[in-house]
Amino acid sequence: MQDVLTTCVYCGCGCGVYLQAENGRVVGSTASRNHPVSRNNLCVKGWHLHEFIHHPDRLTEPLIRKKGKLVPTSWDEALDYTAKELARIRDQTDNQGIGVLSSAKCTNEENYLLQKFTRAVLQTNNIDHCARL
Amino acid sequence: MAGLATTFGSGAMTNSINEIENAQVILVSGSNTTEAHPQIARRMLDAVDRGAKLIVIDPRKTLLAEFADIHLDIRPGTDIPLLNAMMRIILDENLVDDLFIEMRTENYYQLRDMLYRLDLDEAAKTTGVELSKIYKAAQLYAQAQKSVICYCLGITQHICGTRNVQSLANLAMMTGNVEKGDTGVDPLRGQNNVQGACDMGALPNVFPSYQPVGNIDFREKFEAAWKVNLPSKSGCTLMEMTHSGKDGPIRAMYIMGENPMLSDPVLSKVEETLRNLEFLAVADIFLTETAKLAHVVFPAASFAEKTGTFTNTERRVQMVRPAIAPIGNCRTDADIISALALRLGYAMDYDSPAEIMEEIAMLAPIYGGMQHDRLEACWGLQWPCWDRSHPGTQFLHKYYFTRGKGHFVPTEHEPPSEMPDKKYPFLLITGRIYHHYHTGTMTRKSSTLNRECNEALLQINQVDADQLKVRNGETLKVTSRRGEIKLTAEISEQVKPGSVYTTFHFAEAPINLLCIDTWDPLANCPEYKVCAVKVTKP
Amino acid sequence: MNDKLTLKKDHLPAFLRKLSKDYRLVAPIKNRHGDTIFTRIDSSNSASLDLDNQPQNSIKQFMLPQREVLFSYHAKTETGYEFNPTDQINEPTIFFGVRSCDLSAILYMDVTFLQGITDSHYLEKRTNSVFIGLNCNQPFANCFCNATKSGPFLEFGADLQFTDIGDRFLVEVGRSKGIKIVEKWGHFFSAAEEKENKQQYQAFLEARGSFTRLVHVDQAIKRLQENSVPEKVWNQLSLRCQDCGGCAYICPTCTCFTITDCPLTKNTGERIRSWDACTFSGFTRMTGGHNPVSKKTEAIRQRFMHKLCYDVKKHGRPSCVGCGRCVDICFGGTDILRFINLACEGS
């Protein structure tokens, strides 16, 4: 069993929480005694942080819409198709027709990359996230 | 955010979470802190244990209000008249911090002139709170050496959200309760990394670190670093995108880890927009209501499967560390974006998230000294952190406001765009509950949390329940001019007669079908907190 | 425990290294974030053994994990359900540096899981465990094991019991598992001299006298038994309860669990046992929606009645070992010390 200190995702407090990993599964969550915010405790959401990670409904394969239905596909096909469509619509709308929603649940690094992608590659500032919701 | 940015120069929490427990007076407005920010509520209650005074402004009798010395149970949407009344009383009682106003602020006389025109009895009548209680609150707040204001979406999710925030800022500046430790104005950010997403420039008008896209100097800096020409025009906001409509200008969307099909107002409009896109790609960990409408869905790695950083509400940037490898065929969002960029002819060549953070530190001055190796060695750093020798910043605006001088913005009452009437006699307030988070994508999949709470309840006062002949647990139909949903009744003293309250976490009862699609024109924040509904037995 | 031995502190790392060759060795380790946690020791962290701070977790999680697979199932159309035991291997484990409170808690868990109906999952872990205890010369900030009679020195239950007497440990040998270890690694130990026995006794006396908290556990028990705790105490406590479940999760004797069937695919899945807390409303809510413990005050009352009253009646002692962990973990004002103080007020 390995305890990995990470940051809780369930609100803006930013508690430190140990995820317990065993054989590739996350099997528990516990508090950190010395963390400056959580100071040894967690709320009910933090104590059950591990429960959703291995839920059977997790998406594990890329999906693509074929004949109106979402069906599993390969990463290459999903990425190729997405890139092709984004390029087409970007060019057809003179860089105005694509909107991007970033995420307040993803990391800083990912938010940075997505806004860079939007601005540098899609050539638009149409990027936002649900800061106000 | 826009509110504090215009008055102080920065939209973030001025204090640290731990400072709250040292305050002498805590004014909490529009925040159900015990349920939405448990750690911050803990500091507040610890402070109360040590003798601090607590003032709660909330139309509902929340748990926190039970501990309050003064609970100002205002009519929803009347924060401005209340705060103006408090400031007028402070003025009359001569509790103004003249020296602070003189040295650190500007435009005070405009506020003062407006306050002198204010009729206190009229204001008290608008808010529905006795004047004597407002008096007591104003004195309490202004007389203490260290008073702190905490607010949340109950302040911002109004048509006048920005002006609500400006009023709170006025109150703090007028009494000199900013720029020091243990006292300030603290917006409590709801989502785990909403502060970070803003800091990173996931906004239509600014690059990372709030550098405006319209400014040629900043644009040239990013053009040089990214080796590409960049657009100068501000982009569309979230509401402009998701409400662009069937024939709107947005033809394609890429959505990373968001669920506008549950979180945005007037869901029918969102659905119409998303269904009519030529192309929609969604990256998420579950097949959300939004992902179900996509043309391509990417399986993303969860937070437990990746390295990176989150920025909490007190501006603390902390490490996220992987406990396991991505499950199944999942990839991290960073990998997905890089792969797409490469296919579109733009190489994003990073060996690791640490390398991305190095680039952020180069380009975003407030993150200047935040590299992973430093963050690994401590409990995170609070921005601004200008360079590698900087220890981070516990509280903002020390010696001077970020914008130079604090700017008073006099504000006047603006009623909510929809108030109860004969046809729709109830006022609907929405918010969060303890056991769930946001659209429930994660918490609803957690067996214990879902067991503890698995349905949306409609809080209704006993008086109204008697009139409707409704008992606890009965189903009720809630109708607004925009839609209807069914909810289970929970008779509660937390809401006053004439008001009902529920939450937006549940896909079975998407309350945002009912909410009004007006928003604050300055911050684009939807008016979630108030709309008129009819409550009937189905 | 008759044969007393000593082990020089200088030789402890070498002794532990030997043990870790035959066993999974679990001990309190101060990690790089500064938190002391019971963790598996290997060559990467053995230098960070921390016997000066109270580990923030107890060893409960190794005996009753937060989430444990009991068995897996496979629904087959022809033959009905097929059940398979878990492939979880319970390695022989030595727990080193276990304090008196935590070891007393294990003895308490034995009562829960081994008396009457035997819990095979617990039994297997228990059979494969060796406990090397460490007496407390100095109680930690929230400790009150003197009041629950579960410390600071333990009289029975450990396989080997260590006491810090300066430059060496005095080692008392308990059951056969302890004898086996001492026999195999005899060259680490010397027979204890009379002086060393006296030193241990002196340490015990000093430890007993250095508790900073005066906690009237017996009196609180009496008040609960007499049903004389005022209603306002329950109201006061329940108002501050944040419903996090932390007190039950961190408690070394709380054994409440819930069972969920967790599907893995369309027709396979696992039966999971996971920690639960008696203060959760879902813990007592029935399928039809009725909840016999529907109010927060009732749930809090139930918790303290169980720990300090029902268990005393049933087992002759409270199911609180005075480790003080729930005091630190509580969001504020609802922990057992606060309760005991409130209950004893005015008497």
Side-chain angles (χ1 to χ4, degrees), chain B residues 293-323:
Chain B
L293 303 178
H295 297 93
V296 173
V297 181
F298 295 114
S302 77
F303 81 105
E305 296 147 44
K306 62 191 176 194
T307 303
T309 54
F310 289 150
T311 307
N312 79 350
T313 186
E314 55 167 0
R315 300 166 276 104
R316 186 186 296 275
V317 182
Q318 306 188 86
M319 290 304 299
V320 174
R321 300 179 183 89

Side-chain angles (χ1 to χ4, degrees), chain A residues 1 3, chain C residues 20 23-27 29 37-42 44-45 62 91-92:
Chain A
M1 191 142 39
D3 297 292
Chain C
S20 69
Y23 298 87
R24 174 174 75 147
L25 183 62
V26 173
I29 295 289
I37 301 179
F38 270 112
T39 315
R40 178 176 197 156
I41 288 202
D42 54 36
S44 70
N45 61 9
F62 296 91
E91 291 173 77

Side-chain angles (χ1 to χ4, degrees), chain B residues 355-371:
Chain B
E355 193 180 338
I356 303 174
M357 198 62 172
E358 283 173 354
E359 186 171 314
I360 296 169
M362 298 263 298
L363 295 168
I366 56 173
Y367 280 65
M370 293 194 187
Q371 289 82 6

Side-chain angles (χ1 to χ4, degrees), chain A residues 43-111:
Chain A
C43 78
V44 72
K45 295 189 282 295
W47 277 112
H48 300 100
L49 190 55
H50 59 286
E51 284 188 351
F52 81 89
I53 294 166
H54 299 281
H55 195 280
D57 290 351
R58 270 287 298 272
L59 291 167
T60 54
E61 299 289 339
L63 304 175
I64 194 162
R65 193 169 293 278
K66 282 183 178 163
K67 294 181 190 147
K69 271 196 162 154
L70 281 171
V71 292
T73 182
S74 68
W75 272 101
D76 273 336
E77 188 183 6
L79 288 166
D80 286 342
Y81 180 64
T82 304
K84 197 185 93 209
E85 285 294 282
L86 290 178
R88 176 181 69 80
I89 296 165
R90 174 190 65 188
D91 297 341
Q92 281 176 3
T93 59
D94 199 17
N95 304 335
Q96 305 302 308
I98 301 179
V100 176
L101 292 186
S102 199
S103 176
K105 293 107 187 155
C106 288
T107 63
N108 287 324
E109 290 77 358
E110 289 164 340
N111 275 289

Side-chain angles (χ1 to χ4, degrees), chain C residues 234-347:
Chain C
W234 305 118
N235 289 334
Q236 200 178 339
L237 291 170
S238 68
L239 209 53
R240 282 295 286 274
C241 177
Q242 270 281 327
D243 205 15
C244 67
C247 51
Y249 285 11
I250 205 70
C251 177
T253 68
C254 273
T255 49
C256 288
F257 57 80
T258 186
I259 301 282
T260 37
D261 284 343
C262 180
L264 293 172
T265 62
K266 215 173 152 191
N267 44 17
T268 64
E270 291 171 331
R271 175 157 290 186
I272 308 291
R273 166 157 79 185
S274 42
W275 290 351
D276 206 342
C278 54
T279 46
F280 290 155
S281 72
F283 184 75
T284 43
R285 195 181 57 238
M286 295 169 184
T287 312
H290 174 66
N291 195 342
V293 189
S294 62
K295 285 198 211 116
K296 190 88 248 166
T297 45
E298 290 165 1
I300 300 280
R301 187 172 179 278
Q302 168 69 24
R303 174 169 176 76
F304 291 124
M305 284 298 273
H306 185 179
K307 297 207 87 73
L308 299 176
C309 186
Y310 304 147
D311 276 336
V312 173
K313 200 169 166 189
K314 218 163 142 188
H315 308 302
R317 56 181 304 175
S319 52
C320 170
V321 290
C323 71
R325 288 191 180 90
C326 60
V327 178
D328 242 8
I329 208 135
C330 185
F331 268 91
T334 318
D335 58 84
I336 200 160
L337 282 189
R338 173 88 176 244
F339 164 72
I340 292 171
N341 289 338
L342 284 175
C344 298
E345 245 172 42
S347 56

Side-chain angles (χ1 to χ4, degrees), chain B residues 214-236:
Chain B
N215 179 308
I216 177 85
D217 293 337
F218 292 133
R219 212 161 54 243
E220 279 178 351
K221 175 170 122 179
F222 281 89
E223 284 176 344
W226 295 350
K227 300 195 171 40
V228 63
N229 288 329
L230 294 172
S232 59
K233 201 181 98 194
S234 282
C236 300

Side-chain angles (χ1 to χ4, degrees), chain B residues 163-303:
Chain B
R163 281 185 290 268
N164 281 344
V165 176
Q166 286 164 341
S167 292
L168 289 171
N170 289 344
L171 177 63
M173 288 195 290
M174 188 180 190
T175 50
N177 277 315
V178 235
E179 297 191 328
K180 289 178 288 188
D182 310 332
T183 166
V185 183
D186 299 324
L188 310 179
R189 310 305 302 259
Q191 295 167 70
N192 60 320
N193 198 31
V194 64
Q195 187 64 55
C198 293
D199 299 344
M200 289 304 111
L203 293 168
N205 58 341
V206 290
F207 289 118
S209 201
Y210 307 98
Q211 303 170 86
V213 293
N215 179 308
I216 177 85
D217 293 337
F218 292 133
R219 212 161 54 243
E220 279 178 351
K221 175 170 122 179
F222 281 89
E223 284 176 344
W226 295 350
K227 300 195 171 40
V228 63
N229 288 329
L230 294 172
S232 59
K233 201 181 98 194
S234 282
C236 300
T237 63
L238 174 133
M239 299 272 279
E240 286 164 350
M241 292 184 221
T242 59
H243 287 70
S244 102
K246 203 167 89 183
D247 304 309
I250 300 295
R251 302 311 319 145
M253 285 189 79
Y254 183 90
I255 300 179
M256 169 171 89
E258 295 264 322
N259 191 6
M261 274 300 291
L262 206 51
S263 62
D264 290 15
V266 199
L267 295 177
S268 49
K269 187 86 184 174
V270 179
E271 183 168 355
E272 182 194 318
T273 308
L274 295 185
R275 275 196 191 281
N276 285 290
L277 290 174
E278 282 176 46
F279 180 73
L280 170 63
V282 174
D284 213 314
I285 56 176
F286 290 106
L287 195 65
T288 60
E289 291 70 25
T290 306
K292 282 177 189 158
L293 303 178
H295 297 93
V296 173
V297 181
F298 295 114
S302 77
F303 81 105

